[in-house]
Amino acid sequence: MDLIPRPGRTTEEGAGFFELRPRVRLVAGEGTARTERWLRGTLGAATGLSLPPGGAGDEDVIRLDIDPEVTADLGEEGYRLAVTPSGVHLSGGGPAGLFWGAQTLRQLLGPDAFRRAPLPGRRWRLPLTRVQDSPRFRWRGLMLDVSRHFMPKDGVLRYLDLLAAHKLNVFHFHLTDDQGWRVQIKRYPKLTEVGSWRARTKFGHRASPLWEEKPHGGFYTQDDIREIVAYAAERHISVVPEIDIPGHSQAAIAAYPELGNTDVIDTTSLSVWDTWGVSKNVLAPTDNVLRFYEGVFEELLELFPADPTGSLPFSAFVHIGGDECAKDQWRRSPAAQARVKELGLADEDELQSWFIRHFDNWLSARGRRLIGWDEILEGGLARGAAVSSWRGYQGGITAARAGHDVVMCPEQQVYLDHRQDAGEDEPVPIGYVRTLEDVYRFEPVPPQLDEAQARHVIGTQANLWTEVMESHARVDYQAFPRLAAFAEVAWSALPAPAERDFADFERRMAVHYRRLDALGVAYRPPTGPLPWQRRPGVLGRPIDGEPPNV
């Protein structure tokens, strides 16, 4: 079988097939509506089959149900799939498990099932087989940065489909940064009127002499966000929005100068940042700034509602960034120093922790959960807060030992903006070389954790920072095929990294490339970049050697 991610157990049931013909019907049990709609819409488009409703006693059917036995054995995200000469029976432990089983069914139909219209003369045969499957991790995510380079709404919806096809269930939506504010907040219209556009853009690494001398920007209206969230929910994907505070905030300060440290800098002179790196312009630690961002989060919670049914288990999370906050202006600011003294804090690092804890408490009071980059550990967190461990494993180890849930996303392993090869043709080479095999051998749970602590590693996530990705084709190139390897790490019960059968994964990838071709994904070919994927002369920031295991 050429399935990705690899299922827990597959059994071939002979050499025959079940063929999908116009007479095949779809029998959908209670609780299966989302998968029923998806099968008719997606498989129906690819095959040209209408899949009309069928009855309980019909043959030549695709039968969908939620089975308590599957729930008990495999959990709500588990499924069982049986293809017999008389039809298909797909049972989920819950609605999400049923949907993940439908992704396996699509793969079994062959790469052309990933097209949007049927090819002439195509026959749709399913091999007789049984599959039993469930995920290793609950949080299987991708972070997409749309602040550095804006991705229009249709591109975001496309990426949600790509996540679903790989059984990934969390979309971390990085919506604000120094280089652009991307979500409409009606009470603060200048956040998008001013903050969503920059005059020009650095082309390549920040040391590059090249510029793209034209405005860049865009934002999602509140209806766009509602559509994205609903589209994700149909695919059992939780959308976790990120609003970065107190650093990475120059776009917001450019829109509303009173948010900045006005006693040490003329904030009215600031514009949306046009280069990369860590801006020194950070939020002022004032009550007015707290009230402003409470207003932002009030609208945000309405746009990204927590799912009361529990079928989107991570929809209650809100990411507040909390990373790379430069303290220079706070050290020089009389107002910030007065706040340090008033609160009895030791230094500016504790001032940042005070800022984070304020919103930790604010979100908790509204039934939501804060998650942030691992810097938020400095100064202490409320019990319900979670940590995205990005600087390596150590932040996650510290958080798990303190009883906090952790999403492992160490930059040295799963930052997909890092280069895929050491070759000179690699476009805008950033960071360490992380090959397809490197990602396949990534292990999210560090051995330093005991069994109880390891349970706090709720999952893992790959991150796509888009400073050097000016188009969806560049995003595709950096994401794929490595995101397929990451998806298998997140889903499948793999052996220890050194014992993983990468040759078998490569064999299955030979078929998966054809699925990606059918989906129009501009992935990096195994033989290296195609001529139009290269960026000759555009400066990157390659780092030689093996990444540290920190």
Side-chain angles (χ1 to χ4, degrees):
M1 296 264 174
D2 299 312
L3 301 173
I4 291 178
R6 190 183 72 187
R9 184 189 306 169
T10 58
T11 307
E12 296 184 13
E13 299 286 309
F17 295 91
F18 172 70
E19 186 164 351
L20 269 62
R21 301 176 184 271
R23 67 172 179 267
V24 170
R25 296 178 177 274
L26 188 60
V27 181
E30 185 177 350
T32 68
R34 284 180 175 172
T35 298
E36 178 188 10
R37 284 193 294 269
W38 184 86
L39 282 170
R40 285 208 176 94
T42 305
L43 283 193
T47 64
L49 301 174
S50 60
L51 301 176
D58 291 350
E59 292 194 351
D60 290 327
V61 299
I62 299 174
R63 194 178 308 279
L64 309 177
D65 59 38
I66 307 297
D67 186 343
E69 286 191 12
V70 177
T71 314
D73 292 345
L74 301 171
E76 293 203 351
E77 285 196 284
Y79 66 90
R80 289 188 180 126
L81 173 64
V83 181
T84 68
S86 60
V88 176
H89 187 187
L90 177 56
S91 296
L98 189 77
F99 184 73
W100 306 132
Q103 304 306 313
T104 299
L105 176 64
R106 185 192 196 186
Q107 288 196 16
L108 288 170
L109 280 168
D112 287 340
F114 288 75
R115 298 187 181 277
R116 297 185 184 182
L119 299 181
R122 182 70 167 82
R123 298 179 70 179
W124 301 101
R125 288 179 162 182
L126 288 164
L128 303 184
T129 189
R130 293 184 183 273
V131 179
Q132 179 171 294
D133 201 11
S134 61
R136 179 186 178 191
F137 291 106
R138 291 181 290 146
W139 181 302
R140 307 178 301 279
L142 175 73
M143 190 286 304
L144 179 64
D145 164 25
V146 296
S147 296
R148 275 48 176 266
H149 279 100
F150 179 64
M151 180 177 285
K153 181 193 69 179
D154 284 353
V156 173
L157 299 180
R158 173 177 175 266
Y159 257 80
L160 290 170
D161 280 328
L162 291 171
L163 264 63
H166 292 84
K167 299 185 174 74
L168 298 173
N169 69 337
V170 177
F171 179 59
H172 175 171
F173 206 7
H174 185 82
L175 289 164
T176 73
D177 219 296
D178 299 307
Q179 295 85 2
W181 185 285
R182 304 295 180 216
V183 56
Q184 179 188 32
I185 302 296
K186 290 184 176 179
R187 75 185 72 183
Y188 304 128
K190 287 192 287 186
L191 285 172
T192 45
E193 290 172 1
V194 174
S196 70
W197 288 91
R198 58 180 182 259
R200 63 176 187 168
T201 299
K202 176 68 72 172
F203 193 31
H205 181 251
R206 61 180 176 271
S208 168
L210 304 176
W211 294 87
E212 188 178 38
E213 296 285 356
K214 66 179 182 180
H216 176 85
F219 67 92
Y220 309 103
T221 68
Q222 294 201 349
D223 282 343
D224 289 339
I225 293 292
R226 292 185 182 99
E227 180 184 355
I228 288 166
V229 171
Y231 195 86
E234 278 288 298
R235 287 146 183 81
H236 296 275
I237 296 171
S238 300
V239 182
V240 176
E242 180 178 354
I243 301 293
D244 229 325
I245 56 173
H248 289 290
S249 298
Q250 184 167 326
I253 297 168
Y256 290 92
E258 63 271 23
L259 297 175
N261 295 282
T262 56
D263 54 349
V264 295
I265 185 174
D266 177 12
T267 55
T268 62
S269 68
L270 296 177
S271 59
V272 178
W273 214 23
D274 57 11
T275 190
W276 317 126
V278 179
S279 170
K280 303 293 187 184
N281 296 299
V282 302
L283 298 176
T286 66
D287 290 340
N288 286 340
V289 169
L290 297 181
R291 300 294 88 77
F292 182 97
Y293 273 85
E294 286 171 1
V296 169
F297 283 118
E298 282 175 4
E299 290 194 28
L300 201 77
L301 297 191
E302 293 179 5
L303 296 173
F304 297 89
D307 174 30
T309 70
S311 65
L312 295 169
F314 304 110
S315 59
F317 281 87
V318 176
H319 207 291
I320 52 76
D323 63 315
E324 297 180 325
C325 179
K327 309 298 194 305
D328 307 58
Q329 291 179 0
W330 288 354
R331 293 187 184 99
R332 293 186 288 121
S333 163
Q337 291 303 310
R339 170 97 340 154
V340 169
K341 185 175 181 181
E342 170 200 339
L343 296 170
L345 304 176
D347 54 23
E348 294 78 21
D349 289 337
E350 287 195 7
L351 185 60
Q352 179 179 350
S353 297
W354 165 82
F355 208 112
I356 298 300
R357 285 199 307 273
H358 174 86
F359 286 99
D360 191 352
N361 295 330
W362 190 92
L363 288 166
S364 296
R366 288 154 182 80
R368 307 302 285 268
R369 290 189 67 183
L370 178 146
I371 185 169
W373 305 110
D374 54 61
E375 287 96 327
I376 69 171
L377 284 165
E378 299 157 8
L381 285 175
R383 176 59 57 183
V387 171
S388 302
S389 187
W390 77 274
R391 289 180 293 180
Y393 288 102
Q394 189 56 54
I397 292 169
T398 301
R401 286 174 173 168
H404 293 288
D405 286 343
V406 175
V407 176
M408 281 293 186
C409 49
E411 65 167 328
Q412 303 88 348
Q413 311 298 330
V414 288
Y415 268 35
L416 300 185
D417 44 304
H418 283 207
R419 57 191 174 138
Q420 304 182 62
D421 190 87
E424 293 183 0
D425 288 335
E426 208 63 31
V428 200
I430 299 295
Y432 296 100
V433 172
R434 292 288 86 192
T435 65
L436 182 65
E437 182 172 358
D438 291 330
V439 174
Y440 190 67
R441 297 192 190 281
F442 163 60
E443 173 50 49
V445 180
Q448 295 94 322
L449 297 179
D450 64 30
E451 185 176 347
Q453 294 163 349
R455 284 196 288 271
H456 282 292
V457 181
I458 58 174
T460 184
Q461 178 174 290
N463 293 339
L464 275 169
W465 300 103
T466 61
E467 286 94 336
V468 298
M469 300 179 215
E470 75 280 2
S471 66
H472 86 266
R474 281 287 292 122
V475 175
D476 281 2
Y477 180 92
Q478 293 299 134
F480 290 98
R482 292 182 296 179
L483 192 63
F486 173 81
E488 183 148 312
V489 169
W491 178 275
S492 305
L494 298 177
E499 300 168 10
R500 294 176 188 173
D501 190 348
F502 181 67
D504 176 70
F505 179 77
E506 280 192 305
R507 178 190 62 78
R508 289 179 283 126
M509 273 303 303
V511 175
H512 200 66
Y513 285 120
R514 293 169 54 205
R515 298 181 189 122
L516 297 177
D517 287 333
L519 288 167
V521 176
Y523 58 83
R524 181 190 188 277
T527 53
L530 298 167
W532 52 88
Q533 293 175 320
R534 300 167 188 161
R535 296 291 185 275
V538 181
L539 187 67
R541 185 183 61 89
I543 305 174
D544 293 331
E546 284 293 308
N549 188 15
V550 293

